[in-house]
Amino acid sequence: GDAVPVAQRGSWSSFLKAIASMSGDLSSMTAPPFILSPVSLTEYPAYWCERPELFAQIADAKTSEERALAVLRWFISTLKGQYTTRNESAGSEKKPLNPALGELFYGYWPDKDGRGQTTLLTEQVSHHPPITAYVIENESKGVKLVGHNAQKTSFSTGSIIVKQIGHAVLTVKLPSGGEEKYVLTLPRLRIDGLWYGAPYIELSESTYIAGGGYVGVIDYKGKGYFSGKSHSFKATLTPQGGGGKDIVVEGTWHQNSKFTSGGHGIFHDVSTPKEIVTAIGGEPSGEMGPMETRKLWELVAKGIREGDFDLASKEKTRIENEMRQRRKDETASGTQWELKHFKPLDVDPVYEKLAQNTKIAPSSEDTYVFRNNWPETLQAKKK
Ligand code: 0T9
């Protein structure tokens, strides 16, 4: 059936025509109301930690092989949240709110069963093109993820192809006192179902996890490949330096997988419930400041949720005009917007080092260094 409300069919087909003829940045295009999500892209990094126990378990591994497997298990287990959540909660993929420069999102997952608290901080570090930087830390366990991401979109035979740009670095404190770093790359997305107004995501190509003496390659396939099932993957973990044997796991990332070489039984299983992040204000009072996502977009989100699209569009225009004016004032005064939590760097030495001798491409990437300045309200959550 056609998922587009009758009154919006015209605007949906104009929207599709517009995306077919442009490439690059879809995020700033105006889409019909039925496809709008009330959630800003600054909230998406929370998907990395909706199973906080798997994130914490990386620190509990006893050997480097166990650790590399724990990193892979946590990574694979985030994919269902990252790429199917909107379909499950809203019936299809939706267009997220396009974050403003300097937009902030803070949150945490409470301690439970001794796994420790995990805190999340996101900052929109660029508006044009949209780039989101984030850090997720479980300080008591000594596990930290710092990353950034952007997208390059194109249109091909009725689908949107999204190339993700950016990477993340996971740092784990070792019982011996040292630390280990892993570089993670991001999958390519194909957005199908556009014609029917019911878009959904399939992953393709490969991602890499390199570090701790291992290189993991995750190959993604949809319907009609390996097993013929949607959301299939095959992950191969290879010890570096030669000699060791590969470990292979296969399955569907939104369900489960098992070892097909170098191990036995179930590898990952995401049929258990996930834990949504708790948003928290970053002001000393505990309130949300004007650049914090849920404060900034409050009325736009309300309008979208309640079907009051006049309110949503009026408020969206107001925010966009305010931001435009801010940029003009900066140009006029010869100043620049100062990022609050991150510092841009042209090259990431950790990425360069770990991508060496692997098939990770490109071999060089820029990065955003976290200034290590958690707001007090989150610092208090780390104890
Ligand atoms: C990083 C994730 C990313 C962000 C989203 C492509 C997309 C914006 C980026 C890659 C997260 O870790 C994982 C999940 C979903 C991705 C979004 C899906 C999507 O459709 C949007 C783009 C910009 C659109 O909104 C396209 C138009 C829309 C009508 C299709 C639903």
Side-chain angles (χ1 to χ4, degrees):
D2 200 324
V4 185
V6 177
Q8 294 176 41
R9 287 193 182 157
S11 67
W12 181 241
S13 64
S14 328
F15 177 74
L16 290 182
K17 271 182 208 134
I19 47 184
S21 63
M22 71 109 67
S23 72
D25 181 10
L26 291 184
S27 51
S28 59
M29 285 179 55
T30 306
F34 84 95
I35 206 74
L36 301 179
S37 159
V39 181
S40 166
L41 264 191
T42 56
E43 297 206 26
Y44 283 39
Y47 292 132
W48 288 110
C49 204
E50 291 184 330
R51 293 167 196 276
E53 72 289 354
L54 293 183
F55 192 63
Q57 274 165 25
I58 295 169
D60 298 333
K62 304 248 156 23
T63 63
S64 35
E65 181 185 291
E66 265 183 39
R67 202 169 302 118
L69 281 170
V71 174
L72 180 65
R73 179 175 297 113
W74 153 75
F75 177 84
I76 302 282
S77 303
T78 71
L79 300 176
K80 179 187 180 189
Q82 310 252 22
Y83 302 111
T84 70
T85 299
R86 281 80 51 196
N87 285 67
E88 285 182 0
S89 61
S92 84
E93 190 58 51
K94 298 275 166 173
K95 187 173 190 295
L97 298 173
N98 185 21
L101 176 63
E103 190 175 320
L104 302 162
F105 182 72
Y106 304 119
Y108 71 99
W109 292 265
D111 182 22
K112 213 189 212 176
D113 308 323
R115 71 181 184 205
Q117 305 247 35
T118 316
T119 47
L120 161 73
L121 175 159
T122 304
E123 180 166 17
Q124 190 69 13
V125 293
S126 169
H127 178 68
H128 251 316
I131 307 175
T132 311
Y134 57 88
V135 46
I136 295 174
E137 184 170 24
N138 181 331
E139 195 174 75
S140 64
K141 285 283 182 177
V143 191
K144 181 164 142 184
L145 180 76
V146 183
H148 69 280
N149 50 272
Q151 299 88 36
K152 261 216 169 77
T153 46
S154 56
F155 199 76
S156 167
T157 57
S159 310
I160 298 173
I161 309 293
V162 182
K163 182 181 176 205
Q164 292 203 71
I165 301 171
H167 65 277
V169 174
L170 181 85
T171 307
V172 195
K173 286 217 170 83
L174 302 182
S176 62
E179 62 178 29
E180 214 144 61
K181 288 186 185 290
Y182 297 81
V183 160
L184 326 167
T185 67
L186 309 162
R188 187 167 289 214
L189 280 57
R190 183 187 170 95
I191 307 177
D192 283 318
L194 290 166
W195 183 251
Y196 302 99
Y200 62 92
I201 291 174
E202 185 56 279
L203 302 182
S204 65
E205 308 204 2
S206 312
T207 61
Y208 294 84
I209 304 180
Y214 284 80
V215 177
V217 182
I218 303 130
D219 292 316
Y220 303 94
K221 294 284 184 302
K223 263 196 200 109
Y225 293 89
F226 305 148
S227 65
K229 288 186 202 145
S230 319
H231 306 341
S232 295
F233 77 96
K234 175 177 174 177
T236 309
L237 200 58
T238 307
Q240 281 181 307
K245 274 204 174 137
D246 285 0
I247 299 173
V248 184
V249 304
E250 287 176 77
T252 46
W253 47 259
H254 67 309
Q255 293 166 323
N256 55 55
S257 63
K258 50 183 199 268
F259 287 92
T260 52
S261 185
H264 293 283
I266 294 287
F267 175 67
H268 100 289
D269 180 359
V270 282
S271 59
T272 54
K274 57 181 186 179
E275 293 175 44
I276 305 285
V277 71
T278 302
I280 181 173
E283 299 281 292
S285 65
E287 278 165 61
M288 289 183 186
M291 286 307 283
E292 289 182 54
T293 297
R294 293 193 185 175
K295 184 83 197 155
L296 180 69
W297 295 106
E298 190 175 11
L299 294 176
V300 177
K302 183 176 189 282
I304 294 174
R305 285 207 174 90
E306 296 175 359
D308 185 348
F309 297 111
D310 285 342
L311 174 69
S313 112
K314 198 180 98 217
E315 280 295 310
K316 183 169 168 278
T317 306
R318 180 187 60 78
I319 295 168
E320 286 167 354
N321 287 341
E322 255 175 54
M323 295 301 147
R324 224 167 275 138
Q325 189 56 48
R326 206 175 272 186
R327 302 289 89 81
K328 273 191 197 151
D329 294 346
E330 286 162 5
T331 311
S333 62
T335 57
Q336 259 192 340
W337 179 262
E338 294 232 7
L339 296 178
K340 192 169 182 160
H341 296 294
F342 292 91
K343 208 178 99 195
L345 247 195
D346 283 343
V347 286
D348 180 350
V350 180
Y351 179 96
E352 314 270 285
K353 183 162 170 262
L354 292 174
Q356 248 175 44
N357 308 320
T358 71
K359 287 183 184 150
I360 300 183
S363 58
S364 175
E365 278 228 343
D366 65 351
T367 191
Y368 291 85
V369 180
F370 179 45
R371 294 179 195 270
N372 223 1
N373 54 348
W374 291 93
E376 280 169 42
T377 50
L378 274 165
Q379 195 57 44
K381 291 281 173 212
K382 294 168 135 246
K383 289 177 188 130

